[in-house]
Amino acid sequence: MVVSRPPMGWNSWNTFGPEIDEQTVRSMADVMVSEGYLAAGYEYLVIDDCWALRERDANGRMVPNPEKFPSGMKAVADYVHSKGLKFGIYSCVGNYTCAGFPGSYEYEFIDAETFAEWGVDFLKLDYCYKPLSEPGARLYRRMALALDNCGRDILLSACSWGADETHKWIKTTGSSMWRSTGDVVDSWASVKNLYEIQRGIYEYNGALCFNDMDMLIVGMNGKGNVGVAGCTLEEYRTHFSIWSFFGSPLMMGSDIREADDDVKAILQNPAVIAVDQDPAFRQPYTVHGNPHVWARHMADGDIVLGIFNVDDNPMWVFVPFSELGIGRIAGRGFQMTDLWTGEDLGVKKEQFTLSVAPHASKLFRLKLARL
Ligand code: GAL
């Protein structure tokens, strides 16, 4: 399946881990629609690991755990679809999933057919218990072949954590997104760590096969399956700024049934989501020797500046517009808008400076202006 923008949705793992069930999925589907998440672009509802029984049935098919999913997976998918959402599920290229449930190794075609029958639209495919003799590229290609021939459009979301130099081979496989980092946990240290990893591989991001920086922790507040220390609101905003600026898939992971207005304002900021989803999908670059001041040129001719202070001290930022394509006699400047506050900062010429607080970030949209 081919997708032209970074996929957006919600995934069960960060909050629920192994405790995911049908009732939770239904209530999450309800909230994704009633609280405006679908309208904001979050269309996939994905059940992660631990949905199946530990054994396949006599026909070799995976079986949803009847205690967690008494109506069966087709009924759950039907409910999700009835809300206008798309339905995702999880398996693994290896013999087992990371939590020890059946993996798809040597069952790729039967699993793809089963998922198609259930009405699955999205498959997250993990990397645990991979036979050493099998290269990861071969196994993701095998599942993509099965999915592309199963009679239903199913998006393949590879989850090999960047292992085995995933960036070098993932675009041969048919995956629409690939986990470019290890697992996120709900802490500032984790956000910073995943950003640092991304800085080494962002060049590999691109349309049709997106670098997935892992699920969002915005709003977890230290609770749930990967809840650790939690983050401040400012840190969650920086996390969302970074993921959006780099064009990562945006898969929410918090219990959005409990999201307050501040959390919703982060997850549903249309101007920031538009950066993530920009159709040109041009590669970002750093500005004027500061490794945390980034620019990305948008499809409509605007430039977005992403400034991420991941350090513990205030960061002084100087942005000369010559770095952004404005020559000395061009007679042009930029009208600047702060994408978090919506504030119009007016037209600036030649340069601008500002100070960014520790763990804070700025996203500015720059529109070319005549002086
Ligand atoms: C990890 C994966 C997580 C989650 C978990 C389930 O390998 O990176 O996102 O899916 O497995 O066991």
Side-chain angles (χ1 to χ4, degrees):
M1 183 184 167
V2 178
V3 292
S4 56
R5 309 275 177 91
M8 295 173 63
W10 179 87
N11 174 297
S12 62
W13 185 253
N14 279 4
T15 293
F16 297 99
E19 308 299 329
I20 186 64
D21 59 32
E22 178 177 324
Q23 213 31 56
T24 309
V25 170
R26 286 174 197 262
S27 63
M28 209 56 74
D30 293 345
V31 165
M32 283 178 78
V33 177
S34 65
E35 295 298 313
Y37 293 95
L38 174 61
Y42 298 93
E43 58 176 341
Y44 289 99
L45 193 166
V46 181
I47 299 175
D48 208 283
D49 204 351
C50 307
W51 58 266
L53 285 180
R54 296 217 176 247
E55 302 295 335
R56 290 173 179 270
D57 71 11
N59 300 316
R61 288 165 65 116
M62 287 195 197
V63 185
N65 182 329
E67 280 172 19
K68 295 175 175 174
F69 297 94
S71 312
M73 233 19 127
K74 170 118 180 44
V76 175
D78 286 349
Y79 186 80
V80 169
H81 290 149
S82 76
K83 291 276 165 181
L85 296 159
K86 293 180 177 163
F87 179 63
I89 209 164
Y90 164 100
S91 186
C92 188
V93 295
N95 288 302
Y96 303 98
T97 71
C98 301
F101 294 89
S104 288
Y105 183 59
E106 297 291 17
Y107 288 89
E108 289 86 357
F109 293 93
I110 194 170
D111 286 353
E113 276 169 25
T114 306
F115 297 151
E117 275 171 33
W118 289 347
V120 167
D121 306 298
F122 178 114
L123 176 65
K124 174 173 170 179
L125 197 62
D126 218 324
Y127 209 58
C128 288
Y129 299 101
K130 180 182 77 63
L132 289 176
S133 57
E134 297 274 16
R138 185 190 294 164
L139 297 186
Y140 281 108
R141 281 198 293 264
R142 199 189 282 183
M143 181 55 96
L145 183 67
L147 294 176
D148 284 345
N149 289 281
C150 76
R152 189 176 171 86
D153 269 349
I154 302 182
L155 186 157
L156 179 57
S157 162
C159 180
S160 55
W161 327 297
D164 301 331
E165 300 188 301
T166 309
H167 54 281
K168 292 192 177 166
W169 46 262
I170 194 64
K171 286 180 180 163
T172 70
T173 65
S175 304
S176 295
M177 54 192 265
W178 63 284
R179 270 280 297 284
S180 52
T181 61
D183 284 18
V184 72
V185 296
D186 181 23
S187 72
W188 171 250
S190 179
V191 169
K192 181 173 175 176
N193 175 243
L194 298 189
Y195 167 62
E196 293 297 347
I197 295 170
Q198 197 62 28
R199 286 172 62 202
I201 48 173
Y202 70 92
E203 296 98 327
Y204 294 91
N205 200 0
L208 313 184
C209 187
F210 299 97
N211 286 20
D212 175 6
M213 295 178 72
D214 204 359
M215 281 94 71
L216 299 165
I217 53 166
V218 178
M220 288 192 67
N221 299 324
K223 288 187 272 182
N225 186 45
V226 304
V228 188
C231 294
T232 65
L233 204 57
E234 187 74 69
E235 289 167 344
Y236 283 140
R237 209 175 282 122
T238 298
H239 159 49
F240 196 79
S241 297
I242 293 173
W243 267 234
S244 297
F245 181 83
F246 283 99
S248 173
L250 299 176
M251 303 298 291
M252 301 179 291
S254 59
D255 188 347
I256 49 171
R257 299 171 305 185
E258 293 178 1
D260 61 21
D261 288 348
D262 288 334
V263 165
K264 273 178 72 177
I266 295 176
L267 291 171
Q268 296 191 12
N269 182 315
V272 177
I273 291 174
V275 176
D276 181 77
Q277 300 282 301
D278 186 72
F281 217 81
R282 297 194 185 115
Q283 195 174 301
Y285 58 93
T286 52
V287 174
H288 196 63
N290 186 331
H292 304 301
V293 179
W294 297 81
R296 194 172 141 202
H297 291 225
M298 300 284 111
D300 65 355
D302 290 356
I303 298 175
V304 170
L305 277 182
I307 304 171
F308 312 121
N309 186 0
V310 292
D311 292 327
D312 298 333
N313 302 307
M315 183 169 84
W316 180 248
V317 174
F318 167 61
V319 181
F321 289 168
S322 56
E323 293 268 328
L324 305 175
I326 306 283
R328 262 177 302 149
I329 56 165
R332 302 286 192 282
F334 289 115
Q335 178 264 318
M336 291 181 58
T337 306
D338 182 321
L339 295 187
W340 281 114
T341 63
E343 190 188 353
D344 180 349
L345 301 173
V347 174
K348 309 270 181 204
K349 60 175 188 178
E350 290 178 13
Q351 63 184 58
F352 84 97
T353 56
L354 84 164
S355 174
V356 182
H359 303 192
S361 61
K362 294 282 178 191
L363 285 178
F364 295 114
R365 193 150 183 138
L366 276 54
K367 195 170 277 306
L368 196 68
R370 281 178 192 277
L371 296 175

